[in-house]
Amino acid sequence: MGNGAIEILGVSKSYGKTLALDNVSLEISKGEIFGLIGPDGAGKTSLFRILTTLTLPDAGTATVGGRDVVRDYSAIRCSIGYMPGHFALYQDLSVEENLKFYATVFGTTIEENYDTIRDIYSQIEMFRDRRARDLSGGMKQKLALCCALVHKPSVLFLDEPTTGVDAVSRREFWAMLGRIRESGVTIMVSTPYMDEAGLCDRIALILGGRIIGTGTPEEIVSGYPERLYAARGGNMFGILKVLRGVEGVTRCSSFGCECHVSVPEGGPDEKVLLRALAEAGMTGCSVEPIKAGIEDCFMSLS
Amino acid sequence: MRQILSFIQKEFRHIFRDVRTTMIVLVMPVVQIILFGYAVSTEVYNVVVDVVGDMTDPEVRRIVERIDANEYLRIGEVLPSVSEIEGRFRRGSPKAVLCFGDRFDSQAGSGKGASLRIVADGADPNTAQTVTAYLMGVLASEQMEMATALTGSSGPSFSPNIQLMYNPAMSSSYNFVPGVMGLILMLICSMMTAVSIVREKEFGTLELVLVSPVKPFWIVLSKLAPYLVLSLVNYVSVLLLAHYVMGVPVNGSLTLLTLASLVFVGSSLGLGLLVSVISKTQQTALMICGMGLTMPTMMLSGIIFPCESMPAVLQAISCIIPAKWYVIMVKKIMIQGVGFASVAKEFAVLTGMMAFLLYVSIKKFKTRL
């Protein structure tokens, strides 16, 4: 194996009859933010639990920092930071007590590693005596990140850190991740939000336990195999119905207030699509070519 | 070491920041011992006894006065006829009625003997039995005196002098205190430990703690330590209450009693840990502890029902309940005041159980999810 921070080779895991991970292979380099993008139930948490040595893979091997997740699990546990998808700190302990507890458990102190967490901790330090259960969602998340960082881990695992967090806090959070990466920490983060994919250095798209695409966000986007159009208009449902009936359209799905139409090379162009809408009696519509986003790629790969 | 200490400190914070947990851990034992010591008593005290008979008859009067003087019995009403007995029982005031025959005094003095009937309320068999026994005692002593007065000598008769060794007053707290001690220590150690570990599983905090350099063995140990400390606090407070409030003696060696309690606490901690390993939610853990530990302990360890009178199958089951052995030991040490040699068997059994339970449960505690 190479010298990536995390190497995953042919990992499979099933719970009873449900196949959670199906022959997953990934390589994550040192010091990058690697995003695992996929909808709920895609297998993101299962993969995280294997990498954080909490569950055993049924097949395949994985290493974190060059150490095997099964054999050297106790060595891995010393060198990683983990933030589970749910709030896993002690609700009845205060902010400071939680942080102190995790610092001590990892054999360090808040003071010793204050530099690592200052950036984030300074934002919640004024609430240090407040019980964790009384914190807002965004503050809980910051505290959890502090606890995961307090021992200067070399690899940070963040399982859906931004789920249920407001847009402003999400942006702040990603800015923090960028600064953490600068200190040399490898970050593996999972998210169901496609718009966050562009903030990662590299991403992997996961669906039904299988990796359906990896690369930088640009690579993924440029790898989109077809032409894409955005159709707008008053009657979204009508537009969707009409365009799906047009010959040569591979896929047509709604994205917020517009409708993305995927057409293979040589298929109908925007004029054809617009004409089809007009013929169906839909006026005031517009159709224009657009660049594919991560979500479009996800749709085409799935 | 600092890691373990901070773990234990955290555990104490959990206990004392949750009012319910604090109450269970510190108040429940005191309430239980007082409840069992006073309210839940099998002793009869101040029981009302009615009389049917001629109150002008001197012998009847003497007997009635004797009964009234007895500290356990009290004379209620004098009923005009036996037909009113049932009505009185139904209203629930007397527990027994003493019916004297006609011309009781003269008949008793003659050779034919007088007739006397005790009617007791069988709806409550325990009390009925005790009350009749008391009445019989009163009557027997009266009879003795009568015989002496008539013949001038006590004659060729005998009366057994009953003595209850170790518990002369037949106080039921002698039975309940050891039982409650067993129950409390088991509840604190097993239930609280199981719930506290399963809570971490349920809230997902265990996940985060496992992904740390602390070895699972130490995690388990630091989970057990606070409950060990608390159960010792309870042991001391229950013992003090039992001795100074209930008047239960501590005849044997206090060191031996403490040692036995430690072994019992150890086996209860093992049981709690075992429950936490097999249950996924706090509710399951509580159910298992309630139905699987507390109930059998109450029913089968001899706290309420004597083991000897159980069917063979239940007796066999009772042998695998640690509390049974502990309660036997406590009774022997506290009340009989025996030394180690007399409880060696029970001690060995309990130590074996402790070793087995702790070994299995620590071995079973998963290093992963």
Side-chain angles (χ1 to χ4, degrees):
Chain A
M1 279 200 172
N3 55 357
I6 305 168
E7 286 171 353
I8 306 163
L9 201 66
V11 162
S12 296
K13 173 82 189 171
S14 46
Y15 298 100
K17 280 188 179 145
T18 321
L19 191 61
L21 292 173
D22 186 5
N23 197 17
V24 169
S25 295
L26 287 173
E27 191 169 329
I28 293 139
S29 323
K30 280 198 178 95
E32 70 175 351
I33 298 183
F34 189 92
L36 193 61
I37 320 288
D40 293 339
K44 300 189 297 289
T45 301
S46 300
L47 187 58
F48 270 78
R49 285 197 170 154
I50 287 172
L51 293 178
T52 52
T53 75
L54 284 169
T55 42
L56 297 171
D58 294 338
T61 56
T63 60
V64 174
R67 298 189 180 100
D68 188 87
V69 291
V70 179
R71 213 177 42 242
D72 306 325
Y73 73 93
S74 50
I76 291 180
R77 286 178 182 188
C78 298
S79 63
I80 60 169
Y82 173 43
M83 186 172 152
H86 51 89
F87 184 69
L89 301 179
Y90 296 101
Q91 305 267 13
D92 51 347
L93 297 190
S94 73
V95 168
E96 197 177 19
E97 284 163 354
N98 264 302
L99 190 57
K100 220 175 201 159
F101 173 69
Y102 282 102
T104 321
V105 160
F106 280 94
T108 175
T109 58
I110 300 178
E111 294 73 33
E112 207 175 305
N113 284 334
Y114 193 74
D115 283 346
T116 327
I117 55 167
R118 180 173 44 207
D119 202 21
I120 310 156
Y121 189 50
S122 59
Q123 299 174 42
I124 50 170
E125 210 169 358
M126 60 195 115
F127 306 112
R128 70 169 75 140
D129 292 325
R130 197 181 281 192
R131 302 276 163 90
R133 73 159 72 90
D134 300 327
L135 293 175
S136 71
M139 287 199 279
K140 275 184 181 169
Q141 175 213 37
K142 279 171 194 154
L143 175 60
L145 188 60
C146 280
C147 291
L149 274 174
V150 73
H151 59 288
K152 278 192 189 163
S154 56
V155 183
L156 192 56
F157 290 94
L158 308 171
D159 190 7
E160 297 199 11
T162 53
T163 300
V165 176
D166 68 82
V168 177
S169 298
R170 270 169 63 189
R171 213 170 23 246
E172 268 178 27
F173 190 79
W174 279 94
M176 282 189 279
L177 291 193
R179 286 195 290 274
I180 294 167
R181 178 194 43 189
E182 273 159 33
S183 62
V185 179
T186 309
I187 302 172
M188 183 162 178
V189 56
S190 75
T191 176
Y193 302 124
M194 304 290 168
D195 56 328
E196 291 181 344
L199 302 167
C200 303
D201 296 324
R202 286 202 311 135
I203 57 171
L205 304 180
I206 184 169
L207 185 72
R210 282 222 292 264
I211 301 293
I212 54 175
T214 34
T216 63
E218 296 74 30
E219 279 167 7
I220 299 265
V221 168
S222 63
Y224 193 74
E226 299 186 324
R227 278 186 287 135
L228 200 67
Y229 297 98
R232 287 193 193 86
N235 181 1
M236 278 303 297
F237 184 68
I239 293 174
L240 214 58
K241 213 171 145 192
V242 171
L243 293 181
R244 275 186 184 153
V246 174
E247 171 125 12
V249 169
T250 331
R251 198 177 48 258
C252 179
S253 33
S254 69
F255 273 69
C257 61
E258 51 185 39
C259 168
H260 287 192
V261 191
S262 187
V263 175
E265 251 0 281
D269 61 6
E270 64 251 59
K271 290 188 193 100
V272 179
L273 294 173
L274 205 54
R275 200 163 55 231
L277 286 173
E279 274 167 12
M282 251 163 291
T283 49
C285 298
S286 71
V287 177
E288 54 189 69
I290 51 160
K291 271 179 144 179
I294 300 286
E295 199 163 349
D296 299 302
C297 299
F298 203 93
M299 302 287 260
S300 89
L301 290 166
S302 59
Chain B
M1 197 58 214
R2 267 184 50 233
Q3 288 153 314
I4 310 302
L5 284 180
S6 103
F7 248 108
I8 295 174
Q9 183 191 31
K10 178 209 72 151
E11 208 53 43
F12 272 116
R13 282 188 172 135
H14 288 321
I15 295 169
F16 290 115
R17 281 188 189 171
D18 185 36
V19 183
R20 269 186 307 171
T21 318
T22 321
M23 293 288 271
I24 292 177
V25 168
L26 292 179
V27 181
M28 191 192 69
V30 175
V31 171
Q32 262 194 351
I33 200 90
I34 290 174
L35 216 64
F36 275 111
Y38 286 115
V40 193
S41 163
T42 52
E43 290 161 55
V44 287
Y45 201 73
N46 251 342
V47 180
V48 176
V49 177
D50 280 4
V51 176
V52 180
D54 180 11
M55 284 304 282
T56 54
D57 188 303
E59 184 52 40
V60 170
R61 281 247 296 278
R62 233 186 350 260
I63 293 177
V64 167
E65 269 160 26
R66 243 178 200 276
I67 289 172
D68 216 15
N70 189 303
E71 62 171 312
Y72 301 108
L73 306 171
R74 190 161 59 82
I75 292 296
E77 277 179 32
V78 178
L79 307 175
S81 89
V82 271
S83 58
E84 292 195 18
I85 294 177
E86 207 176 344
R88 285 280 288 165
F89 276 157
R90 287 204 172 153
R91 258 169 282 135
S93 28
K95 291 294 168 201
V97 180
L98 205 54
C99 310
F100 293 94
D102 285 339
R103 291 183 295 117
F104 190 80
D105 189 24
S106 51
Q107 290 279 7
S110 75
K112 281 187 272 175
S115 74
L116 179 64
R117 182 151 60 124
I118 300 172
V119 185
D121 182 0
D124 181 356
N126 277 340
T127 316
Q129 213 154 32
T130 325
V131 172
T132 37
Y134 284 152
L135 286 172
M136 292 296 277
V138 173
L139 293 170
S141 55
E142 177 60 26
Q143 208 170 17
M144 285 269 289
E145 263 173 48
M146 253 176 84
T148 322
L150 282 174
T151 58
S153 72
S154 54
S157 78
F158 63 87
S159 70
N161 190 349
I162 300 162
Q163 188 194 353
L164 279 170
M165 267 267 260
Y166 311 120
N167 188 1
M170 213 173 146
S171 162
S172 63
S173 52
Y174 281 36
N175 181 36
F176 278 122
V177 164
V180 171
M181 274 171 70
L183 207 59
I184 288 170
L185 292 183
M186 204 207 61
L187 271 180
I188 303 279
C189 296
S190 308
M191 194 173 79
M192 302 309 284
T193 315
V195 167
S196 90
I197 295 177
V198 175
R199 186 174 46 211
E200 293 223 16
K201 263 198 211 176
E202 212 179 323
F203 290 172
T205 47
L206 192 65
E207 195 174 336
L208 211 50
V209 169
L210 281 178
V211 186
S212 78
V214 182
K215 297 261 180 301
F217 174 77
W218 292 107
I219 297 181
V220 169
L221 226 57
S222 52
K223 272 276 175 200
L224 299 185
Y227 295 99
L228 177 72
V229 173
L230 285 174
S231 57
L232 289 182
V233 169
N234 278 317
Y235 164 72
V236 172
S237 60
V238 165
L239 213 56
L240 286 175
L241 268 176
H243 189 64
Y244 290 105
V245 181
M246 312 287 148
V248 179
V250 184
N251 291 326
S253 143
L254 201 58
T255 323
L256 186 58
L257 188 63
T258 310
L259 210 61
S261 302
L262 273 175
V263 174
F264 178 62
V265 163
S267 63
S268 298
L269 289 174
L271 267 178
L273 201 52
L274 209 57
V275 171
S276 79
V277 169
I278 56 175
S279 39
K280 279 206 164 67
T281 63
Q282 292 182 71
Q283 218 154 13
T284 324
L286 272 175
M287 284 286 277
I288 296 178
C289 285
M291 303 303 284
L293 297 181
T294 315
M295 277 271 282
T297 303
M298 292 268 274
M299 300 298 171
L300 300 179
S301 67
I303 298 178
I304 299 178
F305 311 113
C307 287
E308 291 74 15
S309 57
M310 287 175 198
V313 185
L314 289 184
Q315 278 198 39
I317 295 175
S318 79
C319 287
I320 59 163
I321 296 173
K324 176 194 167 176
W325 303 100
Y326 177 65
V327 171
I328 294 177
M329 265 201 284
V330 174
K331 278 184 189 166
K332 281 189 175 175
I333 299 169
M334 261 177 95
I335 298 174
Q336 296 187 342
V338 298
F340 180 76
S342 309
V343 292
K345 181 186 136 201
E346 288 84 3
F347 202 89
V349 170
L350 208 55
T351 313
M353 281 180 173
M354 175 183 76
F356 173 77
L357 285 169
L358 282 177
Y359 177 78
V360 169
S361 53
I362 289 178
K363 204 83 189 144
K364 279 263 170 201
F365 190 82
K366 294 193 191 78
T367 54
R368 297 168 204 273
L369 279 185

